[in-house]
């Protein structure tokens, strides 16, 4: 087969919901970080516990989550679109099919 036939093969995205859900998390994480970067809020929550105070930085956490989810979503898309075709080609290179010209049977 020619290379143009191989490039046109498109098996679609394996699990669209598994890509959609991290993308929602990416958007939320970037919104957390972006709103803090714009000064709309402090980017952290403060939890008073008697004399102690716990400060949780949500802006940096949102950015970290967005970066991690972006890597995971990109990997899933790449594997669905490119990796699957490469695996298919590697498997087909190992398969040996011979057809008898006289009776048309596979050997």
């Amino acid at each position: 087969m020619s290379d143009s036939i191989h490039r046109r093969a498109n098996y679609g995205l394996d699990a669209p919901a598994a890509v959609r859900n991290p993308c929602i998390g990416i958007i939320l994480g970037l919104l957390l970080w972006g709103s803090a970067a714009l000064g709309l809020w402090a980017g952290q929550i403060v939890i008073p516990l008697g004399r102690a105070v716990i400060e949780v930085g949500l802006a940096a956490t949102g950015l970290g989550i967005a970066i991690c989810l972006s890597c995971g979503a990109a990997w899933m898309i790449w594997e669905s679109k490119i990796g699957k075709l490469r695996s298919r080609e590697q498997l087909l290179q190992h398969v040996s099919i011979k057809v008898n010209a006289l009776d048309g049977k596979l050997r």
Side-chain angles (χ1 to χ4, degrees):
M1 284 188 232
S2 70
D3 286 334
S4 63
I5 292 173
H6 295 269
R7 293 174 201 258
R8 281 188 269 152
N10 183 1
Y11 298 112
L13 201 56
D14 286 338
V19 175
R20 180 200 63 217
N21 294 343
C23 288
I24 292 170
I26 293 166
I27 292 168
L28 293 175
L30 289 175
L31 283 174
L32 271 176
W33 174 76
S35 62
L38 291 173
L40 300 177
W41 66 300
Q44 63 184 12
I45 59 171
V46 178
I47 304 169
L49 295 174
R51 290 184 179 175
V53 174
I54 297 176
E55 295 180 3
V56 180
L58 293 180
T61 303
L63 181 61
I65 288 172
I67 291 170
C68 292
L69 289 175
S70 296
C71 293
W75 177 75
M76 285 189 277
I77 292 169
W78 184 88
E79 191 62 38
S80 289
K81 298 292 186 179
I82 298 167
K84 189 187 315 181
L85 295 177
R86 287 185 181 176
S87 296
R88 180 198 69 180
E89 290 304 315
Q90 289 173 352
L91 286 172
L92 288 176
Q93 287 176 357
H94 296 318
V95 174
S96 172
I97 298 176
K98 297 178 183 175
V99 177
N100 187 339
L102 298 176
D103 59 9
K105 294 182 179 176
L106 294 177
R107 305 267 181 227

